[in-house]
Each structure stands twice: as structure tokens, then as C-alpha cells.
Amino acid sequence: MPAGSFVLYAVVFLSSVVTSKGDIGEFDEHWQKRKLISDAAAEATYRHDPLEVANGFNRAVHRSVEAEGASARREMLMMGTRKKKKFAGPCLATNPIDRCWRCRSDWATDRKRLARCAQGFGRNTTGGLKGKFYLVTDGTDDDVVNPRKGTLRWGVIQDEPLWIIFAKNMIIRLKEELMINSDKTIDGRGAQVRITDGAQLTVQFSHNVIIHNIHIHDIVLGKGGDVRDSPEHFGFRTQSDGDGITIFGSTNVWLDHLSLSNCQDGLIDVIAKSTGVTISNCHLTNHNDVMLFGSSDSFSEDQIMQITVAFNHFGRGLVQRMPRCRWGFFHVVNNDYTHWLMYAIGGSKNPTIISQGNRYIAPPNLAAKQITKQLGAEESEWKNWVWHSEDDLFMEGAFFTVTGGDIRTKFNKKDLIKPKPGTYVTRLTRFAGSIPCRPGKPC
């Protein structure tokens, strides 16, 4: 083997090792056990009828819109012709996730109602529903091996279920990546919580996690070193990537009403056999590689990956990967794509991408009107992939390249639920991102 080829092989091999181990310096007994549990959870979470999950989601949207009545539909049609402050007037919950909780004035005394509101592949996520409330009173992150009680880090590493809330507005600068254990809800309602200018949030070999209503921006590489991930275990971690959130080998994860921007790597990465994930009501801005779903072209175990991306606003300053998919099944539904510079949705290794009821507004660049980008494959290969578009709204010359593959799941066409069309997206995504919530009043 030529010397140059050997060096290239070594780099690729080492990169794959890092990806498979996910910043874990040593795969000790603790992490081996967590991986086995996570693999079993992934197999149990995987749905062999993913279209039924997509149909169930669309049913919920129909019920939500119909419940608002004719007057609300008229307001929706007028939305594009007049300016109106988002939070002025009576509470409007414009999609089924928000209708479940947002317009209730008792949200602060019934916070755990949120656990019944997920939709899509992450619909079974209940987070810390079965646990106590834990109040974050200390916004510092000085000691990542022995964190103080009252800090966010102390709460997320506990083994017991916890519903984590915040005593006041906070800016949290993470010294190293925040390792989020299973059965946790991070609930930022009632405070302005910003995680910024530090390391990322990591959900690794965990299950049943909700992250809700916080800002995550300007995340940088973690230096690595000893980091505690549970009360009884800490270990050496390599340098973290600088993502906003990494979901690694985890199941039943729901990200909702997050505002994300300007992280050093991706905003949201879902990799390493993660499945049962919903990303909803988020506002994403000012970033290059926005979302990565799937570890690598060689990691075929990501065929188990099933993700719902819904009601998000892909806004100013975004370049590509909204998302970039490998291997799995991805339901991209009722999102608002108002900005991209290169492309919106990309993929490799035959992912199934079902695009329904999205609004795509192309950039002025004539070379970037195409929404989709097939990566690492010739047309003779990707033309048989399953990339379908239904009831999407295309504006400013945007176009979606549909591929000719058939969905392998057999179903009765009479049972298919059509999505709400892209003309509804402005309304459905109107409150994307972190929202102001005051106790005693609807959000």
C-alpha cells in the first residue's frame, strides 16, 4: 500500500472510531452497558409501519385546524397581507402540538401536561413525567466532574426521572459538553434561558428526553477531559464537536420550541442508531450545516432511524442540510423554508424522505433553486430512492426533485391522510422558536 494511501486509510479509520464511540475516551463497562440498553431500546422503538405514524401526524394537524373554525381559517388566509404582532391579542395555538398546552393559563402549575403533547416519531417521549421537579438556581458550570446541586449539570446527570425548570433568567456557558441522562425534561418556560459561548448538549445512549423552550447559540468545541455523566460514573471524553445538540444512540427524544443559531459544527445532529425523534416548532438561523441525520455512509445501522421534522422555521442565514439524511425514514412536514444558500434537503445511502405540506421559498441565485441534493450517488442509483413531495408550496422558482422509488410498506390508499398544504405553513409555524411564557397567562 502506498504511504499516502495508508495515511488516508488511517485518517478514515480513526474518524470512524471517533464517530462510533461518540467522544468517549474509553468504552468502559459503564458505557458498554448503556450501549446495550440503548440498542435494545432502538429496536423496540422502531416502527415497521412508519407511514401510519406520518398519517397519524397529519390527522392531528387536520383536527387542530378544523377545531379553530372558519374565522381562524379566514385569518390564516389574510396572514400574508397584513402585519400583526405575534403575541398580541388572544392566544393562538396554530398546530396540534401547541394546541395541547399553549393557550392554557395554568401551564405553570400543570407543566407536565407538555409530556402528553408530542407528535410524530417522538410521540411517546414523556421526559421527566414520572419524576420530581428540579429547580435550577445556579447558572454556573464550574466543575464538570463534581457539579453543585442547583446547577443544570447536576440535574441532567441524575439517574432518576426529573422535570427540570429554572428559577430565573440565565445565561449558561457550559465548560464541557452537557451529558443528559434518560428520563429528563429541560423546560425553559417562564424564564429566558440561553446556553451559549460554551460546549454543546449531548444525549448519548439515553432515552426519553425532552428539551423545550430555550435558546442555544454560539456553541464552540469542548476541550475534552473528565466529565461526569451519572452520579456514579465519570470518564474521559475527547474534544466535542461544537454542535448545538447531539443525539447519539438514543431513542424517544423530543426537541420543541428551541431557537438555535451559529454553532461551530451543526445545530442538531442525530446519529449512531438514534430513532423515535421529533424536532418541532424550532427557529433556526445563521448557520451552515444545519441538521445531520445519520453517522456516515458506512454506518448502515442507521437504517433504524425514524425522525419527524415539523412546524419549524428555517430562517435567515442558513446554507444547507435542512436536513442532510442517510439510511433512515424522515417525515418533513409543514415546515417553512424561507432561506437557504445552497440547498435545503440532501441525502445519501437511500434515505426515505417524505416532504409534505412545506413552503419552500428559493433564493435569488439561479443555481440554488433546487431544494434537494442527492449526494455521493449517480442518477442511475438515486432515481430509485424514495424522495416524495406532496402538497408542498414552491415559490420563487423552487423545485423538488422527486425520485421514483416505491415505499416498501404496504398500505391501503384509502387510509392515507393528506397533509395540510404548504399554504397553511405561515400559520402553523408562526410561533416557532423559544416563546415568552408568564405564569398565570397563556404562552
Side-chain angles (χ1 to χ4, degrees), residues 113-253:
R113 180 183 179 85
L114 181 70
R116 302 197 295 270
C117 298
Q119 299 281 346
F121 287 112
R123 69 199 178 285
N124 294 321
T125 309
T126 56
L129 176 63
K130 296 181 179 180
K132 300 175 182 177
F133 285 99
Y134 170 77
L135 184 64
V136 178
T137 57
D138 183 348
T140 64
D141 189 45
D142 298 332
D143 192 335
V144 300
V145 175
N146 296 297
R148 288 190 298 274
K149 190 172 184 179
T151 62
L152 177 59
R153 187 176 296 274
W154 190 96
V156 299
I157 65 170
Q158 300 306 305
D159 289 330
E160 64 182 299
L162 288 176
W163 196 281
I164 299 169
I165 61 177
F166 297 83
K168 57 186 177 181
N169 296 346
M170 292 185 185
I171 296 175
I172 300 174
R173 296 178 175 87
L174 297 172
K175 189 174 181 180
E176 295 295 339
E177 59 186 315
L178 187 75
M179 306 301 298
I180 302 172
N181 209 339
S182 298
D183 302 310
K184 300 294 181 291
T185 297
I186 301 176
D187 179 359
R189 289 175 294 175
Q192 286 289 318
V193 179
R194 294 182 179 273
I195 297 179
T196 183
D197 297 321
Q200 67 188 48
L201 289 76
T202 298
V203 183
Q204 185 164 9
F205 296 141
S206 296
H207 60 272
N208 199 30
V209 173
I210 298 172
I211 306 175
H212 179 77
N213 210 55
I214 60 176
H215 296 259
I216 302 169
H217 59 92
D218 297 292
I219 301 300
V220 297
L221 299 177
K223 294 179 180 179
D226 285 340
V227 178
R228 186 167 294 278
D229 49 75
S230 72
E232 68 279 358
H233 181 268
F234 68 87
F236 180 79
R237 297 190 64 80
T238 60
Q239 185 181 61
S240 60
D241 294 334
D243 298 323
I245 301 173
T246 293
I247 301 170
F248 186 107
S250 298
T251 58
N252 288 330
V253 180

Side-chain angles (χ1 to χ4, degrees), residues 73-82:
R73 287 194 292 271
R74 284 195 297 271
E75 182 180 349
M76 175 196 67
L77 294 173
M78 295 172 63
M79 195 74 73
T81 63
R82 59 187 173 89

Side-chain angles (χ1 to χ4, degrees), residues 294-309:
S295 301
S296 68
D297 284 358
S298 62
F299 193 75
S300 60
E301 290 179 74
D302 277 337
Q303 291 178 78
I304 204 170
M305 187 172 288
Q306 295 176 329
I307 301 176
T308 300
V309 180

